[in-house]
Amino acid sequence: MQHRSYPTVVAEFRRKIRAMDMSVVFIALLSVLYLRGFFLDFSSFRHIAEWVIVLMIPFLFAVFLSGNQSWESEAYMGSLKFYEAPLQASIKTLFSVSAFAYLVKEPVSRITVVSIITFSTLAVLGVRAYLAKSKLATLMNSKTAEFLVVASDVEYRSLQLADLIPNRNKTSFVHRQLTTKDCVKEWEEICLELEKENFAGLIITDTFFPSAEVNSQISTLQAKKNIEVFFHSAITTMLPRMQTIENNELIRVARPLVIGRHAVIKRALDVVLSLTALIVLSPVLLLIALGVKLTSRGPVLYTDQRIGKNNTLFSFPKFRSMVINADTMRANVLGSPDESMPERYARDPRVTNFGRFIRRWSLDELPQLWCVLIGTMSIVGPRPILREEDIDVNKANQSRFIAKPGLTGLWQVSGRKEVLWEARMKQDVLYIETWSFLNDLLLIARTF
């Protein structure tokens, strides 16, 4: 078993997850039908239509799982996308089945449909959790995934190779540099090397972005060898907003999805959740306020001006967790953001004992629910930064200011202050570029 190549194990992993996904969906279907007493009855058109609608569910579930490419890449294993695909598939299946039933005007038990989709989703999520810890996944992670990298010397040296391919324990890279990007002979040699050797995949950088002829060769190799192909480019952050038009000869880039009509949905979620949380948590808010007042000298709330949407300042309240005049000590204690910043945060002497407790559980952030309610913040978004930190946000990360700042966000659920500054900025930009309502719900769940 150990002598198998990495691509061979990957192919087996993909087959297994596809087979297990569909198996548990059909098991969920049959189980619900048995429990609901849903038996074969073809005595009338209505019963036949009812059966057609019910049997559409596993078919549509498979179509949407496949459409999300959830069976195509082991690179998703252990990431949010690995578990996001079944949730998206279930929502699309529910809407599709409901729309079909409405169009044909054939009633079908809502409980039956919802139960099948719910149990199918839970079963697929369970399968993925199992496979991520299975012997096959362990074997796959134990093997070295070797990638052929077509890049200039400068690009190759600048690539963070260890972090380039996610969710793999062992990776190695073989560098190839071309004379020119359109050199057909050199590309033919690379394709021949990919065909002969057991590479896990191919990585191509901006400098050598291939021509249509080379792309055709690469596609043929993908079908034949089952390899991964990656483009490393600055344009990748905008991909979720791209769509081809005019016979695939042009690419349209939509406005960031977090603004425009989508902002209405996001705002509605903010109002409902913040208002509910303020009412439900009012006793907790009073207890924390009392704790702050009794354990240290000074006001209960600390209010500062932070940079929010469109680089505008807004009032940012927190339960006070530091000594009075802590702002004046910040430069001496923390300094500018760098790799050692998380360590300095961890031993910050300005934090009081009670403050350390409420910061540990982020209870000091609860007053910001008011900001969410009045519209200066959102439940999910880039974390608001200090005025003096604005100079440390480089031009590549300015799009983080498109959205309202959030109580929680992508980097907050990825390590909080242990995440380095530049990684935080990149994650904020990634959130902006890949925003969806479902992602917000998942980030809220991960926050807890």
Side-chain angles (χ1 to χ4, degrees):
M1 187 174 186
Q2 294 293 329
H3 70 279
R4 286 181 294 172
S5 66
Y6 180 83
T8 303
V9 178
V10 166
E12 184 178 340
F13 181 84
R14 292 175 182 173
R15 287 194 298 270
K16 192 165 187 176
I17 192 170
R18 185 165 56 242
M20 291 188 70
D21 275 354
M22 294 318 304
S23 296
V24 296
V25 167
F26 275 106
I27 291 171
L29 170 73
L30 296 174
S31 300
V32 172
L33 293 183
Y34 174 76
L35 293 172
R36 295 283 299 161
F38 207 89
F39 297 108
L40 286 171
D41 185 355
F42 298 127
S43 59
S44 68
F45 174 78
R46 180 191 169 188
H47 287 108
I48 295 173
E50 199 171 29
W51 265 99
V52 170
I53 292 171
V54 167
L55 292 176
M56 282 176 63
I57 295 175
F59 172 75
L60 289 173
F61 209 99
V63 168
F64 292 129
L65 276 175
S66 177
N68 286 335
Q69 299 187 29
S70 61
W71 299 328
E72 295 299 318
S73 179
E74 76 286 358
Y76 294 150
M77 189 180 70
S79 71
L80 191 61
K81 287 186 177 181
F82 193 62
Y83 301 98
E84 187 180 302
L87 297 175
Q88 291 178 337
S90 66
I91 293 171
K92 292 176 181 178
T93 301
L94 179 61
F95 277 104
S96 300
V97 170
S98 302
F100 180 79
Y102 175 78
L103 288 173
V104 299
K105 301 189 183 303
E106 285 298 329
V108 65
S109 170
R110 295 184 183 90
I111 295 177
T112 300
V113 171
V114 172
S115 297
I116 293 170
I117 294 174
T118 300
F119 283 115
S120 296
T121 305
L122 292 174
V124 171
L125 289 172
V127 161
R128 286 162 186 251
Y130 163 76
L131 283 175
K133 302 293 183 183
S134 67
K135 290 182 179 179
L136 187 59
T138 302
L139 176 62
M140 186 168 64
N141 287 329
S142 70
K143 291 183 173 294
T144 298
E146 189 174 46
F147 291 87
L148 191 62
V149 183
V150 180
S152 68
D153 283 335
V154 174
E155 287 173 323
Y156 188 74
R157 287 195 299 269
S158 65
L159 292 176
Q160 301 294 319
L161 292 175
D163 302 323
L164 199 59
I165 308 298
N167 307 312
R168 287 185 174 91
N169 292 339
K170 297 180 180 181
T171 51
S172 67
F173 301 90
V174 176
H175 179 212
R176 296 286 182 266
Q177 180 173 244
L178 307 182
T179 307
T180 63
K181 73 171 186 176
D182 295 322
C183 185
V184 176
K185 184 177 180 181
E186 288 179 299
W187 271 113
E188 286 178 350
E189 291 174 356
I190 285 172
C191 290
L192 187 62
E193 188 175 3
L194 282 168
E195 187 170 5
K196 287 183 176 180
E197 305 297 330
N198 283 320
F199 285 107
L202 172 67
I203 300 170
I204 307 170
T205 60
D206 275 329
T207 301
F208 299 117
F209 196 89
S211 64
E213 181 181 343
V214 173
N215 275 332
S216 179
Q217 287 182 280
I218 292 172
S219 296
T220 303
L221 269 174
Q222 278 187 284
K224 185 177 181 179
K225 293 281 290 183
N226 202 28
I227 61 171
E228 294 273 25
V229 175
F230 297 100
F231 289 117
H232 186 274
S233 172
I235 203 173
T236 53
T237 57
M238 303 173 72
L239 284 178
R241 298 192 276 127
M242 293 182 180
Q243 57 183 159
T244 56
I245 59 173
E246 301 297 336
N247 299 320
N248 290 337
E249 293 182 6
L250 286 176
I251 295 176
R252 177 182 177 271
V253 181
R255 291 196 304 161
L257 303 181
V258 74
I259 62 176
R261 68 184 186 278
H262 300 284
V264 177
I265 303 172
K266 189 171 175 62
R267 180 63 185 146
L269 179 68
D270 286 342
V271 171
V272 170
L273 292 183
S274 61
L275 183 60
T276 303
L278 284 169
I279 294 172
V280 172
L281 296 176
S282 55
V284 177
L285 296 171
L286 290 173
L287 286 174
I288 295 172
L290 185 62
V292 172
K293 197 67 180 175
L294 294 177
T295 55
S296 62
R297 186 171 57 89
V300 170
L301 291 178
Y302 164 79
T303 304
D304 188 27
Q305 293 289 302
R306 295 288 173 92
I307 302 176
K309 183 180 179 181
N310 297 328
N311 297 84
T312 56
L313 295 175
F314 72 100
S315 294
F316 180 81
K318 301 174 72 171
F319 282 121
R320 184 174 57 80
S321 59
M322 293 184 174
V323 297
I324 299 176
N325 299 322
D327 285 349
T328 61
M329 300 180 245
R330 176 182 171 81
N332 292 330
V333 174
L334 296 180
S336 298
D338 56 27
E339 292 186 0
S340 61
M341 178 68 89
E343 296 177 15
R344 298 199 293 275
Y345 266 121
R347 57 174 186 268
D348 193 335
R350 301 172 299 161
V351 182
T352 65
N353 290 331
F354 186 72
R356 203 171 298 281
F357 168 75
I358 59 175
R359 284 163 72 99
R360 168 68 182 83
W361 301 101
S362 297
L363 299 175
D364 59 322
E365 313 285 358
L366 290 179
Q368 292 153 38
L369 287 167
W370 175 251
C371 296
V372 176
L373 185 62
I374 64 175
T376 55
M377 289 182 67
S378 179
I379 294 291
V380 185
R383 194 66 179 148
I385 62 172
L386 299 167
R387 285 168 290 176
E388 56 267 32
E389 290 176 331
D390 188 34
I391 195 173
D392 297 310
V393 181
N394 62 41
K395 291 181 180 179
N397 299 323
Q398 284 297 314
S399 60
R400 72 182 302 281
F401 296 112
I402 288 174
K404 293 177 184 178
L407 276 175
T408 187
L410 189 56
W411 71 260
Q412 289 94 320
V413 301
S414 306
R416 299 176 67 180
K417 286 188 169 63
E418 290 77 18
V419 181
L420 299 180
W421 174 263
E422 190 57 33
R424 285 168 52 180
M425 296 300 103
K426 287 181 179 178
Q427 286 175 329
D428 284 343
V429 172
L430 180 63
Y431 169 78
I432 297 293
E433 295 292 348
T434 60
W435 180 87
S436 72
F437 183 69
L438 180 59
N439 274 347
D440 271 9
L441 296 181
L442 290 171
L443 287 171
I444 291 170
R446 288 180 65 190
T447 298
F448 288 99

